[in-house]
Amino acid sequence: MRAAIIGYGYWGKNITRNLVNILGLKNIVIYDTSDKALLNARADQIGIETSSDVGAAFRRKDIDIIAVVTPVSTHYELAMKALKAGKHVFVEKPMTVSVRQAEELIREARKQDRFIMVDHTFLFTGAVQKIKELVDSGELGEIIYFDSYRVNLGLFQHDVNVIYDLAPHDLSILNHLVQKKPLCVRAEGFDCISSGMESVAYLTLKFDSLIAHFNMSWLSPVKIRHVMIAGTKRMLVWNDLNPEEPVKVYDKGIQTTADEEIHQLLISYRSGDIYSPKVVNKEALHSELEYFVECISINIPPAVNTAEEGLEVVRILEEANLSLSKGAGSPVFAGGAGQRYAG
Amino acid sequence: MRAAIIGYGYWGKNITRNLVNILGLKNIVIYDTSDKALLNARADQIGIETSSDVGAAFRRKDIDIIAVVTPVSTHYELAMKALKAGKHVFVEKPMTVSVRQAEELIREARKQDRFIMVDHTFLFTGAVQKIKELVDSGELGEIIYFDSYRVNLGLFQHDVNVIYDLAPHDLSILNHLVQKKPLCVRAEGFDCISSGMESVAYLTLKFDSLIAHFNMSWLSPVKIRHVMIAGTKRMLVWNDLNPEEPVKVYDKGIQTTADEEIHQLLISYRSGDIYSPKVVNKEALHSELEYFVECISINIPPAVNTAEEGLEVVRILEEANLSLSKGAGSPVFAGGAGQRYAG
Amino acid sequence: MRAAIIGYGYWGKNITRNLVNILGLKNIVIYDTSDKALLNARADQIGIETSSDVGAAFRRKDIDIIAVVTPVSTHYELAMKALKAGKHVFVEKPMTVSVRQAEELIREARKQDRFIMVDHTFLFTGAVQKIKELVDSGELGEIIYFDSYRVNLGLFQHDVNVIYDLAPHDLSILNHLVQKKPLCVRAEGFDCISSGMESVAYLTLKFDSLIAHFNMSWLSPVKIRHVMIAGTKRMLVWNDLNPEEPVKVYDKGIQTTADEEIHQLLISYRSGDIYSPKVVNKEALHSELEYFVECISINIPPAVNTAEEGLEVVRILEEANLSLSKGAGSPVFAGGAGQRYAG
Amino acid sequence: MRAAIIGYGYWGKNITRNLVNILGLKNIVIYDTSDKALLNARADQIGIETSSDVGAAFRRKDIDIIAVVTPVSTHYELAMKALKAGKHVFVEKPMTVSVRQAEELIREARKQDRFIMVDHTFLFTGAVQKIKELVDSGELGEIIYFDSYRVNLGLFQHDVNVIYDLAPHDLSILNHLVQKKPLCVRAEGFDCISSGMESVAYLTLKFDSLIAHFNMSWLSPVKIRHVMIAGTKRMLVWNDLNPEEPVKVYDKGIQTTADEEIHQLLISYRSGDIYSPKVVNKEALHSELEYFVECISINIPPAVNTAEEGLEVVRILEEANLSLSKGAGSPVFAGGAGQRYAG
């Protein structure tokens, strides 16, 4: 099997390193329109094949997989060309700029009988896999509350706002865990330093019996990666910056009982042990690419990070941006409910 | 000087202990309609005068101060009676249920030439006083971002939602630091366990050049008291649960420069030392009551926790509730912009 | 039952508060030679009986228990008088200055058929009780390593060195957990600020198959209360300053297997989940005093914090001081093995 | 300039990567007696020259530097051959097994007019450089107390005990900071799992007016890298596992004043702000090797990590082992004062 990587920036380098390890150096070709990027590629992987003629990637018969690691605005066009050329596609997150684009890619992939995998790398981390295991086993009960805090200082992006930058991680994780569609999407965003892009944003999703909130910021002096998940039975905190104990399960809960005599709700609390399961510590991107290569080799479509999951993330991002634009009319302050099921 | 305390619950007990220390045991009278509460008062403070005839507090000529430490729905009536009887009033937060009530109390206090102090105790803590000092000295620059995370497991309240329970703390602190009025108030709230009250809520205030967000929850397995404040020069984190270093000042910042040639905004980051000022560790409530007693004795109105500040907090709470009620129409999911300056 | 407390300082105040709660105000008498201390006692506990005639405590027939809460140099004399007068004795830690004194008290208690309880309060904390439970259940395996780090800034004592100040806590805990006698006691101590007392000390105990080390200091800028216990099966960390998770059990271990072919020891590591059991949070001193009162009322001697356990702590302290004095001869640097079983 | 690396294990790989970056791929040769190690080298650095004929490294005229990255028992022989062949030597820590060996290497280097640099990498970290700066500026006052806690689970070594494994780091740092020689060296060590090597050890150094203690263990469930340094003016904590704030300076101190009237020492405490200086985050090994290459190119001997500093670390290790062997006679329990200046 042979793979082409289009785009040799920060993340393209990581994808290259792992594909070289999985498929072997001589089965990888790097495409980039920047000569400097190609020079870097050849310095990092001595002997690797590179080319600035990106179109050649689609024409070559010996290439099976194309990894699209370019700015999001170009994902659709490159992925579409790859599919039409009969290649399998590994595409960076978010999958596309719009829902329509993502849907067209999915249609084309079906037509061509090829696979798309969207690189929501977090789903292959030991922490998220452990959380998924805990949710699926029923140990937490039904999930009713998801609260994510993902803030740091910068890096300000020129082409996307803080929601497009940070939300795909948590949205893909939430989708993976609960596999439900939100009833309502609401976002607020603020361009705190007049950079032309929202640098602070708050996103709220309402599901049937679940509330999810995402606090995203490029303006925090401290880096925080903190997710709380409350289930009806147990609660969980995932602190991605705590290498010793990333996931903690709290045997805590709230019980409500209706007291018929006094016509009142009685609320009681339960507080027990805390348990921090061992989390496998391996490079998630390696596992993810290895999985995609295996899917292709046995001709079974990926079950994780599918194109449909990628689409669902794009759908929420699109609705979040719509919600932003329906705000109070000021470029600084925006907010309102997205379209989805608004009556 | 002699003081009456109306209401001997959890917080009334603390107010009593401090007033006994400041004014002497024989200058304090406890009023409560519950005999059990009065029994507790006499056990805690052997020899203290107690009475279940609350009306007597207003009639007695020898009482100068009345501390109203009862459920919020009764604040207005009790404080009004106290003012009409010519007493100074120390009232629990939030000051009243509605803006109209708070405004009437302020009018009556002016008419009677008496003082009202609202018990936003946090303003007398060493941490908040240090933060105020840092803001006023200009060390942080202009405040552009305030993000509060105040979550824990329970305690669910029967009569108020999580906003009325937790927001008064942060709102009084924010008002104290920036003394501006918000242009827009927006709240979302969720009744996650069908208790009839919002147990999770998100509140956003937009000011002229400042965004404030408040994440409040009774549904978090861990207790978090974390406030981030970004100024144009420096940034600050206040972790109220870190006794060693509650306040940390980060010499971090973002600079934007317009590059005229490429018509682009250049963003650069600065990251320097971290500094954790020593914070005085004394009982805030004691300092606060001592201050109120001194204000009365020298006949100068309080400059901190004034009735006007109390009113401003009530105004935002009222607008937050209005925003909740204008939501998508479901009791579970609510949200929308408050009235204040909506065009 | 009626109790006399001799000595109303910082700790005497806590013992009084708890005994008042357990036995009732009118069954407590406070003795202290300082009029100021007695004034404080009467202010703290309005209506309590006090007296500066300490001798009367022994003469009064209506007193059953005497709590000795005075400097350690006076414990022996006061406790002996109390026993000879037929009283039960609750004595502060360390029990006495010397082994001989402790042994005489034990003999006298047996002769008088009275109980002595030594106030190693930590044994009644939720954390130590949980650790004891874990050790006794065999969950940790055999204990082979105990490492305590108990440091802070000051408070320098005038009459005892840092070992007498801090070691009794950990020594009583270690004795409670393993109930073995050390084969060798070795201590080093340093008078870092020329105060006339060792302010930094290191104590090492060697048991049959267990090593225990105690790092004690009045010279650390940060307060640390950190105990590690390694068993042959699992390991444990107790951080007394972490209120959320004071005790953590690590499913970690080391296995050694002898490889006969290569005549070498093969060492392998096991690393699994971390588990933080819920620890009961109540006032240890209250439980301890309640227990002693109950022991007396049903006439069964205490099984925890016995005089024999108090003696064992004193024995190690005495040997530690002997080890210090056998050092290099300088008041600054001292160290050497204690006498116990030195060949 | 051209360098040969002898030994391509875990650390040899890092040295190679950095020397390749500094001198260029074609100026590096890897020597190792293991073909597997050489295969790894060629995979890591495609195109690099490798050889299993270690003797050739000394014979080749075009090699200027030899990096000795082999087990400590071989350092002396390889470094001596390199010096005799006129090469500069970069040698892993500890420099040699014995003081005698280190002294002979120093003599030979002087004779050959060649440089030896000992790889105590920590001295080139941003944290240690910042601490050195703080000490040299006098900000801490005179250093009176150094307490290191360096523990983790494993990795058990076959050829050296825990002191040789872990102490060189802290000893080189302490020497670097205070540049004094200890008056007394005392060590205790324990073979807790009967592996034939001490896996837990405590080392104490007494200087003129400074006490240093080192707690080292392969038996701790948690990894701790914690150093406290108390000066007469301020105190410092270095937590090497806290990437955000590795170094904290505490404006804390103890003052003693002699009260002539009461013939007593009065002790007072000062507690002020905490300050966490920004620490440069770069790869220490890269800076160190770059520095050595520059020293050679301008023919000025290194001023940091000199052979003399390497010797001083070896001297203390030798004395520590002597102290171990003079212990109570049991292979399990050992302890006693080293020889240095024992009267």
Side-chain angles (χ1 to χ4, degrees):
Chain A
M1 215 175 295
R2 186 162 290 171
I5 290 128
I6 306 183
Y8 195 84
Y10 165 71
W11 198 244
K13 178 172 172 166
N14 289 326
I15 288 177
T16 300
R17 177 170 47 77
N18 282 292
L19 281 178
V20 163
N21 182 283
I22 294 165
L23 297 178
L25 184 76
K26 61 183 189 303
N27 292 317
I28 308 296
V29 195
I30 309 292
Y31 292 91
D32 201 303
T33 54
S34 150
D35 285 339
K36 189 166 180 310
L38 295 179
L39 196 67
N40 287 341
R42 290 192 302 266
D44 292 338
Q45 299 287 344
I46 292 172
I48 204 162
E49 186 185 343
T50 65
S51 166
S52 61
D53 176 11
V54 176
F58 309 114
R59 293 188 302 268
R60 277 175 64 166
K61 295 289 174 222
D62 62 340
I63 284 175
D64 307 288
I65 305 170
I66 290 189
V68 177
V69 203
T70 54
V72 62
S73 58
T74 66
H75 288 182
Y76 170 72
E77 188 197 337
L78 295 171
M80 184 57 87
K81 281 186 184 167
L83 291 169
K84 282 184 191 292
K87 316 299 189 194
H88 299 285
V89 170
F90 184 83
V91 60
E92 257 329 281
K93 57 95 196 159
M95 184 181 178
T96 56
V97 170
S98 71
V99 166
R100 195 188 46 77
Q101 289 179 345
E103 286 171 343
E104 286 185 20
L105 290 182
I106 290 175
R107 262 196 303 275
E108 189 65 29
R110 283 189 193 137
K111 197 167 121 191
Q112 300 288 347
D113 206 16
R114 283 299 172 272
F115 304 154
I116 300 174
M117 189 160 172
V118 185
D119 182 17
H120 293 294
T121 320
F122 263 113
L123 302 200
F124 282 81
T125 58
V128 173
Q129 290 183 338
K130 178 56 76 177
I131 294 169
K132 174 73 170 160
E133 193 185 313
L134 290 164
V135 169
D136 288 354
S137 73
E139 202 172 313
L140 301 181
E142 196 193 353
I143 305 306
I144 58 174
Y145 175 55
F146 184 100
D147 188 289
S148 162
Y149 208 45
R150 187 174 289 273
V151 304
N152 48 254
L153 192 68
L155 305 175
F156 280 74
Q157 310 279 316
H158 279 285
D159 53 342
V160 293
N161 64 20
V162 71
I163 295 184
Y164 269 73
D165 182 34
L166 299 179
H169 297 307
D170 292 304
L171 291 174
S172 67
I173 293 165
L174 179 60
N175 282 345
H176 188 55
L177 295 179
V178 302
Q179 297 174 323
K180 284 183 188 174
K181 286 172 194 287
L183 303 177
C184 189
V185 173
R186 192 183 294 272
E188 297 172 296
F190 312 98
D191 177 5
C192 292
I193 62 156
S194 302
S195 71
M197 284 289 173
E198 288 89 352
S199 47
V200 168
Y202 307 105
L203 174 63
T204 311
L205 308 188
K206 184 205 163 193
F207 296 77
D208 200 14
S209 57
L210 161 67
I211 289 308
H213 185 72
F214 307 84
N215 183 329
M216 293 156 282
S217 172
W218 290 331
L219 224 75
S220 161
V222 285
K223 184 176 182 177
I224 299 176
R225 298 283 181 264
H226 196 266
V227 173
M228 292 194 303
I229 302 175
T232 48
K233 287 191 192 159
R234 282 193 188 76
M235 294 169 168
L236 178 152
V237 171
W238 170 34
N239 180 352
D240 199 34
L241 301 184
N242 180 346
E244 297 303 316
E245 301 180 63
V247 178
K248 288 190 190 184
V249 181
Y250 292 78
D251 188 13
K252 286 189 172 181
I254 295 163
Q255 277 101 28
T256 52
T257 36
D259 186 311
E260 307 232 327
E261 283 194 43
I262 59 168
H263 297 286
Q264 230 185 356
L265 202 67
L266 299 181
I267 293 169
S268 62
Y269 305 95
R270 187 174 42 78
S271 174
D273 298 346
I274 302 167
Y275 151 77
S276 177
K278 182 172 168 62
V279 161
V280 175
N281 188 10
K282 46 171 187 147
E283 189 177 2
L285 182 56
H286 191 275
S287 309
E288 188 185 15
L289 288 166
E290 209 169 36
Y291 173 74
F292 191 45
V293 165
E294 198 182 339
C295 284
I296 292 167
S297 72
I298 61 174
N299 199 32
I300 292 183
V304 180
N305 281 347
T306 62
E308 287 71 20
E309 288 173 346
L311 163 63
E312 188 54 27
V313 170
V314 171
R315 191 188 305 279
I316 294 171
L317 293 175
E318 198 177 86
E319 290 175 343
N321 263 5
L322 181 64
S323 173
L324 283 187
S325 69
K326 287 176 60 191
S330 141
V332 177
F333 187 87
Q339 285 305 325
R340 193 179 290 241
Y341 307 94
Chain B
M1 214 176 296
R2 186 161 290 170
I5 291 127
I6 305 183
Y8 195 83
Y10 166 71
W11 197 245
K13 178 173 171 164
N14 289 326
I15 287 177
T16 300
R17 177 170 47 76
N18 282 292
L19 281 178
V20 163
N21 183 282
I22 294 166
L23 297 177
L25 184 77
K26 61 182 189 303
N27 292 317
I28 307 298
V29 195
I30 308 292
Y31 292 91
D32 202 302
T33 53
S34 150
D35 285 337
K36 189 165 180 312
L38 295 179
L39 195 68
N40 288 341
R42 289 192 302 266
D44 291 337
Q45 300 287 343
I46 292 172
I48 205 162
E49 185 185 343
T50 65
S51 166
S52 62
D53 176 11
V54 176
F58 309 115
R59 291 189 304 267
R60 277 176 64 164
K61 296 288 173 224
D62 61 340
I63 284 175
D64 306 288
I65 305 169
I66 290 188
V68 178
V69 204
T70 54
V72 62
S73 58
T74 66
H75 286 184
Y76 169 73
E77 187 197 338
L78 294 171
M80 184 56 88
K81 280 185 184 167
L83 291 170
K84 282 186 191 292
K87 315 300 190 195
H88 300 284
V89 169
F90 184 83
V91 60
E92 257 329 280
K93 56 95 198 159
M95 183 181 178
T96 56
V97 170
S98 72
V99 167
R100 194 187 47 74
Q101 289 179 345
E103 286 171 343
E104 285 184 21
L105 289 182
I106 290 176
R107 261 197 304 276
E108 188 65 28
R110 284 190 193 136
K111 196 167 123 192
Q112 300 287 348
D113 206 17
R114 283 299 173 270
F115 303 155
I116 300 173
M117 189 159 172
V118 184
D119 182 18
H120 292 295
T121 320
F122 262 113
L123 301 200
F124 282 82
T125 58
V128 173
Q129 290 183 337
K130 177 59 74 179
I131 294 170
K132 173 73 171 160
E133 194 185 311
L134 290 164
V135 170
D136 288 353
S137 72
E139 202 172 314
L140 302 182
E142 196 193 354
I143 305 307
I144 58 175
Y145 176 55
F146 184 100
D147 189 288
S148 163
Y149 207 43
R150 187 175 288 274
V151 304
N152 48 256
L153 192 69
L155 303 175
F156 280 74
Q157 310 279 315
H158 280 285
D159 52 342
V160 294
N161 64 21
V162 72
I163 295 184
Y164 269 74
D165 182 34
L166 298 178
H169 298 307
D170 292 304
L171 291 175
S172 67
I173 293 166
L174 180 60
N175 282 344
H176 188 55
L177 294 180
V178 303
Q179 298 177 322
K180 284 183 187 174
K181 285 171 195 288
L183 303 176
C184 189
V185 173
R186 193 183 293 272
E188 295 173 296
F190 312 98
D191 177 5
C192 292
I193 64 157
S194 303
S195 71
M197 285 288 174
E198 287 88 352
S199 47
V200 167
Y202 306 105
L203 173 63
T204 312
L205 308 188
K206 184 205 162 193
F207 296 77
D208 201 13
S209 57
L210 161 67
I211 290 306
H213 185 71
F214 307 84
N215 183 329
M216 293 157 282
S217 172
W218 290 330
L219 224 73
S220 162
V222 286
K223 184 176 183 177
I224 299 178
R225 299 283 180 262
H226 196 265
V227 173
M228 292 193 303
I229 302 175
T232 48
K233 288 191 192 159
R234 281 193 188 76
M235 293 168 168
L236 180 151
V237 171
W238 170 34
N239 181 352
D240 199 34
L241 302 184
N242 180 346
E244 298 303 316
E245 302 180 63
V247 178
K248 288 191 189 182
V249 181
Y250 292 80
D251 188 13
K252 286 190 172 180
I254 294 163
Q255 276 101 30
T256 54
T257 36
D259 186 311
E260 306 232 329
E261 281 192 47
I262 59 168
H263 298 285
Q264 229 185 358
L265 202 68
L266 298 181
I267 293 170
S268 62
Y269 305 95
R270 187 173 41 78
S271 173
D273 298 346
I274 301 168
Y275 151 78
S276 177
K278 181 175 168 62
V279 161
V280 175
N281 188 8
K282 45 170 188 150
E283 189 178 2
L285 181 56
H286 190 275
S287 308
E288 188 186 14
L289 288 166
E290 208 169 37
Y291 173 75
F292 191 44
V293 166
E294 198 182 338
C295 285
I296 292 168
S297 72
I298 60 173
N299 200 31
I300 292 182
V304 178
N305 281 347
T306 62
E308 286 72 19
E309 289 173 344
L311 163 63
E312 188 54 26
V313 170
V314 171
R315 191 188 305 280
I316 295 170
L317 293 176
E318 198 177 86
E319 290 175 343
N321 262 6
L322 181 62
S323 174
L324 283 187
S325 68
K326 287 175 59 193
S330 140
V332 176
F333 186 86
Q339 286 306 323
R340 192 178 291 241
Y341 307 95
Chain C
M1 214 176 295
R2 186 161 290 170
I5 291 128
I6 306 183
Y8 195 82
Y10 166 71
W11 198 244
K13 178 172 172 166
N14 289 327
I15 288 177
T16 299
R17 177 171 47 77
N18 282 292
L19 281 177
V20 163
N21 183 282
I22 295 165
L23 296 178
L25 184 78
K26 60 183 191 301
N27 291 318
I28 307 297
V29 195
I30 308 292
Y31 292 91
D32 201 303
T33 53
S34 151
D35 285 338
K36 187 163 181 312
L38 295 180
L39 196 68
N40 287 341
R42 289 190 304 264
D44 292 336
Q45 299 287 344
I46 293 173
I48 204 163
E49 185 185 343
T50 65
S51 164
S52 62
D53 175 12
V54 177
F58 309 115
R59 291 189 304 267
R60 278 176 61 165
K61 296 288 172 223
D62 62 340
I63 285 174
D64 306 288
I65 305 170
I66 290 187
V68 177
V69 203
T70 54
V72 61
S73 60
T74 66
H75 286 183
Y76 169 72
E77 188 196 335
L78 293 170
M80 184 56 88
K81 280 185 183 167
L83 291 170
K84 281 186 192 292
K87 317 298 189 195
H88 299 285
V89 169
F90 185 82
V91 60
E92 257 330 280
K93 57 95 199 159
M95 184 182 178
T96 56
V97 171
S98 71
V99 166
R100 196 189 45 76
Q101 289 179 345
E103 287 172 342
E104 286 184 20
L105 289 182
I106 290 174
R107 261 198 302 276
E108 188 66 27
R110 284 188 193 137
K111 198 168 122 192
Q112 300 287 347
D113 205 15
R114 283 299 172 270
F115 303 154
I116 299 174
M117 189 158 171
V118 183
D119 182 18
H120 293 294
T121 320
F122 263 113
L123 301 200
F124 281 82
T125 59
V128 172
Q129 289 182 339
K130 177 58 74 176
I131 295 170
K132 174 74 171 161
E133 193 185 310
L134 290 165
V135 169
D136 287 355
S137 72
E139 203 172 312
L140 301 181
E142 196 194 352
I143 305 306
I144 59 175
Y145 176 54
F146 184 101
D147 189 289
S148 162
Y149 208 41
R150 188 175 287 274
V151 304
N152 49 256
L153 192 69
L155 304 175
F156 279 75
Q157 310 278 316
H158 279 286
D159 54 341
V160 294
N161 63 22
V162 72
I163 295 183
Y164 269 73
D165 182 34
L166 298 178
H169 297 307
D170 292 304
L171 291 174
S172 67
I173 293 165
L174 179 60
N175 281 345
H176 187 57
L177 295 179
V178 303
Q179 298 175 322
K180 284 183 187 175
K181 288 172 194 285
L183 302 176
C184 189
V185 173
R186 192 182 295 271
E188 296 173 295
F190 312 99
D191 177 6
C192 291
I193 62 155
S194 302
S195 70
M197 284 288 173
E198 287 88 353
S199 48
V200 168
Y202 306 105
L203 174 63
T204 312
L205 308 188
K206 184 204 161 193
F207 296 76
D208 200 12
S209 58
L210 161 66
I211 290 307
H213 187 70
F214 308 83
N215 183 330
M216 294 157 281
S217 172
W218 290 330
L219 224 74
S220 162
V222 285
K223 184 175 182 177
I224 299 175
R225 299 282 180 262
H226 197 266
V227 173
M228 293 193 303
I229 302 175
T232 47
K233 289 190 191 159
R234 282 194 189 75
M235 294 170 169
L236 179 151
V237 171
W238 170 35
N239 181 353
D240 199 32
L241 302 184
N242 181 344
E244 297 304 315
E245 302 180 62
V247 177
K248 289 190 189 182
V249 181
Y250 292 78
D251 187 14
K252 285 189 172 181
I254 295 164
Q255 276 100 30
T256 53
T257 35
D259 185 312
E260 306 234 327
E261 282 193 43
I262 59 168
H263 298 285
Q264 230 185 355
L265 203 66
L266 298 181
I267 293 170
S268 61
Y269 305 95
R270 188 173 42 79
S271 173
D273 298 346
I274 302 168
Y275 152 77
S276 177
K278 182 173 168 62
V279 161
V280 176
N281 188 9
K282 40 163 196 154
E283 188 177 2
L285 182 56
H286 191 275
S287 308
E288 188 186 15
L289 288 166
E290 209 169 37
Y291 173 74
F292 191 44
V293 165
E294 198 182 338
C295 284
I296 292 168
S297 73
I298 59 174
N299 200 32
I300 292 184
V304 179
N305 282 347
T306 62
E308 287 72 19
E309 288 173 344
L311 162 64
E312 189 54 26
V313 170
V314 171
R315 191 189 304 280
I316 294 171
L317 293 175
E318 197 177 88
E319 289 174 345
N321 262 6
L322 181 63
S323 173
L324 283 187
S325 69
K326 286 175 60 190
S330 140
V332 177
F333 188 87
Q339 286 305 323
R340 195 179 288 242
Y341 308 94
Chain D
M1 214 174 295
R2 186 162 291 170
I5 291 127
I6 305 183
Y8 195 82
Y10 165 72
W11 198 244
K13 178 172 173 167
N14 289 326
I15 288 177
T16 299
R17 178 171 46 78
N18 281 292
L19 281 178
V20 163
N21 182 282
I22 294 165
L23 297 178
L25 185 77
K26 60 182 191 301
N27 291 317
I28 307 297
V29 195
I30 309 293
Y31 291 91
D32 201 303
T33 53
S34 150
D35 286 337
K36 188 166 181 310
L38 295 179
L39 196 67
N40 287 341
R42 290 192 302 265
D44 292 336
Q45 300 286 343
I46 292 172
I48 205 163
E49 185 186 344
T50 64
S51 166
S52 62
D53 175 11
V54 177
F58 310 114
R59 291 189 303 268
R60 278 176 62 164
K61 295 289 172 220
D62 61 341
I63 283 175
D64 306 288
I65 305 170
I66 290 187
V68 178
V69 203
T70 53
V72 61
S73 59
T74 66
H75 286 183
Y76 169 73
E77 188 196 337
L78 294 170
M80 184 57 88
K81 281 185 183 168
L83 291 170
K84 282 185 190 294
K87 316 298 189 195
H88 299 284
V89 170
F90 184 84
V91 61
E92 257 330 280
K93 56 95 200 158
M95 183 183 179
T96 56
V97 170
S98 71
V99 167
R100 195 188 47 75
Q101 289 179 344
E103 286 172 341
E104 285 185 20
L105 289 182
I106 290 174
R107 262 198 302 276
E108 189 65 29
R110 284 188 193 136
K111 198 167 121 192
Q112 300 288 348
D113 205 15
R114 284 299 173 272
F115 303 154
I116 299 174
M117 190 158 171
V118 184
D119 182 18
H120 293 294
T121 320
F122 264 112
L123 301 200
F124 282 82
T125 58
V128 172
Q129 289 183 339
K130 177 58 74 178
I131 295 170
K132 174 72 172 160
E133 193 185 311
L134 289 165
V135 169
D136 287 355
S137 72
E139 203 173 312
L140 301 182
E142 196 193 353
I143 304 307
I144 59 175
Y145 175 56
F146 184 101
D147 189 288
S148 162
Y149 208 45
R150 188 175 288 274
V151 304
N152 48 256
L153 192 69
L155 303 176
F156 280 74
Q157 310 279 314
H158 278 287
D159 54 340
V160 294
N161 63 22
V162 72
I163 294 184
Y164 268 74
D165 182 35
L166 298 179
H169 298 307
D170 292 304
L171 292 175
S172 67
I173 293 166
L174 179 60
N175 281 345
H176 188 55
L177 295 179
V178 303
Q179 297 175 324
K180 285 182 185 175
K181 286 171 195 287
L183 302 177
C184 190
V185 172
R186 192 183 294 270
E188 296 172 297
F190 311 98
D191 178 6
C192 291
I193 61 155
S194 303
S195 70
M197 284 288 173
E198 287 88 354
S199 48
V200 169
Y202 307 105
L203 174 62
T204 312
L205 308 188
K206 183 204 162 191
F207 296 77
D208 201 12
S209 57
L210 161 66
I211 289 307
H213 186 72
F214 308 84
N215 183 330
M216 294 156 282
S217 172
W218 290 331
L219 224 73
S220 162
V222 286
K223 184 175 181 177
I224 298 177
R225 298 283 180 264
H226 197 266
V227 173
M228 292 194 303
I229 302 176
T232 48
K233 289 191 191 159
R234 280 194 189 76
M235 293 169 169
L236 180 152
V237 171
W238 170 35
N239 181 352
D240 199 33
L241 301 184
N242 181 345
E244 298 303 316
E245 303 180 63
V247 177
K248 289 190 189 183
V249 181
Y250 292 78
D251 188 13
K252 286 190 174 183
I254 295 163
Q255 276 101 29
T256 54
T257 36
D259 186 312
E260 305 232 328
E261 281 194 45
I262 59 167
H263 298 285
Q264 230 185 356
L265 203 67
L266 298 181
I267 293 170
S268 62
Y269 305 95
R270 187 172 43 79
S271 173
D273 297 347
I274 302 168
Y275 151 78
S276 176
K278 182 173 167 63
V279 161
V280 175
N281 188 9
K282 39 163 196 159
E283 188 177 2
L285 182 56
H286 191 274
S287 308
E288 188 186 15
L289 288 166
E290 209 170 35
Y291 173 75
F292 191 44
V293 165
E294 198 183 339
C295 284
I296 292 167
S297 72
I298 60 173
N299 201 31
I300 291 183
V304 178
N305 281 347
T306 62
E308 288 72 19
E309 289 173 345
L311 162 63
E312 187 56 25
V313 170
V314 171
R315 192 189 304 280
I316 295 170
L317 292 176
E318 197 177 89
E319 290 175 343
N321 263 5
L322 182 62
S323 173
L324 283 187
S325 69
K326 286 175 59 190
S330 141
V332 177
F333 188 86
Q339 286 304 324
R340 194 179 290 244
Y341 307 95

